[in-house]
Amino acid sequence: MSNQINIKELSPNTFDVTIYSNTETNHQVTISDNFITEYQIKNLTKKEIIEQSFIFLLERESNTSILRKFNIEVIANYFPEYKKLFK
């Protein structure tokens, strides 16, 4: 079964992400303006960044392995190649 990702904005920096797969999971993700500046991301909304980040994660691990609550910046701690995603 392929993963379906549903993203809902809770506040300008906080998003609720539901992944529909064999097991449905829910995640609360925060993203700061600092992150966008540091990664020099242009032409993507925060919601699009979250979506790309979850696609990246799901290529590497199951949705049940993804943290339930995290700041988007921690992905690079687990997957250093994440920093290249937006280049």
Side-chain angles (χ1 to χ4, degrees):
M1 178 179 182
S2 67
N3 299 304
Q4 184 180 350
I5 303 167
N6 183 35
I7 303 168
K8 185 170 70 178
E9 184 175 331
L10 301 177
S11 75
N13 293 333
T14 307
F15 293 81
D16 182 67
V17 181
T18 304
I19 301 171
Y20 301 96
S21 190
N22 293 333
T23 303
E24 182 180 316
T25 57
N26 191 267
H27 312 268
Q28 190 174 62
V29 184
T30 54
I31 181 170
S32 66
D33 294 331
N34 251 8
F35 174 84
I36 293 168
T37 304
E38 180 184 331
Y39 279 69
Q40 301 173 353
I41 300 170
K42 312 245 190 301
N43 307 323
L44 288 178
T45 64
K46 287 181 180 176
K47 189 173 181 178
E48 290 168 332
I49 293 167
I50 300 279
E51 181 178 25
Q52 292 299 313
S53 298
F54 269 84
I55 290 168
F56 172 90
L57 287 171
L58 290 165
E59 288 171 348
R60 287 155 179 80
E61 61 185 351
S62 69
N63 61 318
T64 55
S65 298
I66 298 172
L67 297 171
R68 300 292 184 221
K69 190 172 185 178
F70 63 97
N71 184 297
I72 201 84
E73 295 175 36
V74 304
I75 296 173
N77 296 346
Y78 299 95
F79 302 101
E81 70 272 23
Y82 176 71
K83 291 185 177 196
K84 297 178 192 150
L85 184 63
F86 302 106
K87 298 287 182 222

